Amino acid sequence: QLTALWNGMLTGISGNAVRICEPFVPYAWPETYDIIPPDSKPVALGVFGQALLVLTTGRPLLVMGSTPESMDQQLLEIPQACVAPRSVAAMGTGVAWASEDGLCWYGAGGAKIATAGLMTREDWQALPD
């Protein structure tokens, strides 16, 4: 799946890398722009504002920058893998996704398990697919 970013960029997952195209040139994907999460495999992407959240089989990776060559990467402290890529919902102020422990959220207020205190991990996992 291709995901639109800001400043004319597109992004997508290819193998173990998140690829970013040359701005306004959707057919040019230099390998030097590739983002490879250090400890996990990317499974889904969520965009809010000028932030790309790379959801992985491990910790999420936050990517921000105005051009492909200036993208900064930061692993989030929340160890919540995305278990269902189709669960990712990007909203104006953040991104939500399903993890083993519950529904997670990352936005301006940071990362959290949104269902913590509402559902136990066991109740969450007992929900039908």
Side-chain angles (χ1 to χ4, degrees), residues 24 59 62 75 109:
F24 301 104
R59 291 191 300 166
L62 182 64
L75 277 173

Side-chain angles (χ1 to χ4, degrees), residues 8-74:
M9 296 181 289
L10 295 174
T11 188
I13 296 171
S14 178
N16 289 329
V18 176
R19 312 236 21 226
I20 300 174
C21 77
E22 195 69 51
F24 301 104
V25 187
Y27 53 84
W29 299 78
E31 287 184 8
T32 57
Y33 298 161
D34 286 3
I35 296 166
I36 301 173
D39 60 357
S40 53
K41 179 179 175 159
V43 295
L45 304 171
V47 176
F48 66 101
Q50 288 194 351
L52 170 65
L53 190 62
V54 178
L55 298 163
T56 70
T57 56
R59 291 191 300 166
L61 180 67
L62 182 64
V63 179
M64 297 171 59
S66 57
T67 62
E69 58 272 356
S70 70
M71 293 295 197
D72 289 326
Q73 304 171 36
Q74 174 187 353

Side-chain angles (χ1 to χ4, degrees), residues 55-117:
L55 298 163
T56 70
T57 56
R59 291 191 300 166
L61 180 67
L62 182 64
V63 179
M64 297 171 59
S66 57
T67 62
E69 58 272 356
S70 70
M71 293 295 197
D72 289 326
Q73 304 171 36
Q74 174 187 353
L75 277 173
L76 299 185
E77 292 301 317
I78 188 169
Q80 297 297 321
C82 178
V83 296
R86 292 182 58 192
S87 71
V88 177
M91 296 170 239
T93 59
V95 175
W97 71 96
S99 77
E100 289 285 335
D101 297 328
L103 183 66
C104 294
W105 170 262
Y106 180 80
K112 64 182 177 180
I113 301 174
T115 53

